[in-house]
Amino acid sequence: TRDVVNAFMRHKISVVALVVLVLILIAAVVSGFIFSEEQITAITASARLQPPSAEHWFGTDSFGRDVFARTIYGARYSLFFGLTTAALSLVIGTAIGSACAYLSGTFDIVVMRIMDSLVCIPSLLLMLALVAVIGRGMNGIIIALVVTSVPGTARIVRSIVIGVVQNEYVEAARAAGVTTPQIIWRHVLPNAFGPILVNVLMNISGSIISASSMSFLGMGVQPPTPEWGAMINDALPLIRTSPY
């Protein structure tokens, strides 16, 4: 652990990125206690499109709402999408990938061809189609993100587990009469969890961007909820007259 920490601290860009991430996490947690409901959602015509000031650090939007308050509060939704999608794709993708690698045969072929067919569809197009069927909102976005994230996770898990199941301790567990689910969860996955966790953590940022893209296109979180993608979409017509 000490070697990992020392190596991380020598990488200055990573340290700066960690500080920024911690600040965003803190802001997302405390935003509900700092900003009032009026600053986030209420329409105030007299405060419309005010430039940045001591009172409004990022200025106000076309409805008179504080942009800084909405930006900080919107971190809650973006982080929620990223973490929820990562957790669900980890559980579902790991279960599918490890089962395919361990059971192999016809089961592996059929399931992985289904995963390959989903990967072949552009992720944004697939998410738009799913949200159109399921409906707009947080539930639709989460389901769409999970469906597009699971195939990639399952393929990576399968490739990692295939190398692990060939080890001697797995053969010994089989010979000892250990059941298949116990072998997968007690012996195979703990020895393959490192690369799987790295992949899932990298997917968090992609999920945040994808969720914001959906909201930007009007298919995700709907106004007046302060979600980052929806906020950019609302501000886009004002980029020349009020760039703040």
Side-chain angles (χ1 to χ4, degrees):
T1 303
R2 189 182 300 111
D3 292 340
V4 172
V5 172
N6 291 335
F8 180 83
M9 297 302 295
R10 287 195 297 268
H11 199 276
K12 302 304 180 184
I13 296 178
S14 298
V15 175
V16 172
L18 178 62
V19 172
V20 173
L21 177 60
V22 171
L23 291 176
I24 293 176
L25 290 172
I26 294 174
V29 172
V30 304
S31 59
F33 303 98
I34 298 177
F35 303 111
S36 63
E37 188 71 20
E38 289 74 17
Q39 291 175 296
I40 298 171
T41 59
I43 297 176
T44 307
S46 59
R48 181 178 179 270
L49 293 178
Q50 293 184 1
S53 62
E55 183 180 1
H56 305 290
W57 291 3
F58 288 180
T60 60
D61 61 11
S62 57
F63 296 99
R65 300 172 300 199
D66 189 283
V67 177
F68 178 74
R70 289 175 61 80
T71 302
I72 298 301
Y73 201 90
R76 289 185 168 193
Y77 297 97
S78 295
L79 292 174
F80 174 77
F81 287 135
L83 295 175
T84 302
T85 303
L88 292 176
S89 63
L90 172 62
V91 173
I92 300 174
T94 299
I96 294 174
S98 58
C100 290
Y102 189 83
L103 300 176
S104 64
T106 304
F107 177 82
D108 178 31
I109 295 174
V110 173
V111 173
M112 292 314 299
R113 293 302 76 77
I114 295 175
M115 297 294 105
D116 292 341
S117 65
L118 293 175
V119 172
C120 291
I121 304 174
S123 58
L124 184 59
L125 180 61
L126 179 58
M127 285 190 293
L128 287 172
L130 290 172
V131 172
V133 173
I134 299 170
R136 303 177 184 182
M138 297 183 65
N139 293 334
I141 287 185
I142 291 175
I143 294 174
L145 288 172
V146 171
V147 171
T148 55
S149 300
V150 164
T153 303
R155 294 175 69 186
I156 292 176
V157 171
R158 176 181 176 274
S159 63
I160 296 172
V161 172
I162 283 178
V164 175
V165 296
Q166 298 175 354
N167 292 327
E168 294 180 353
Y169 58 84
V170 177
E171 295 294 334
R174 288 173 179 167
V178 180
T179 63
T180 298
Q182 289 178 326
I183 292 177
I184 293 176
W185 292 105
R186 293 185 181 181
H187 301 284
V188 175
L189 290 181
N191 291 282
F193 193 70
I196 295 172
L197 181 62
V198 171
N199 174 74
V200 171
L201 293 177
M202 292 178 65
N203 286 340
I204 293 178
S205 60
S207 298
I208 291 175
I209 294 175
S210 297
S212 297
S213 300
M214 295 293 293
S215 297
F216 176 80
L217 295 173
M219 300 296 289
V221 176
Q222 301 299 304
T225 303
E227 200 278 334
W228 288 347
M231 290 173 61
I232 295 175
N233 186 36
D234 292 339
L236 189 59
L238 306 171
I239 192 169
R240 296 184 183 275
T241 58
S242 302
Y244 48 85

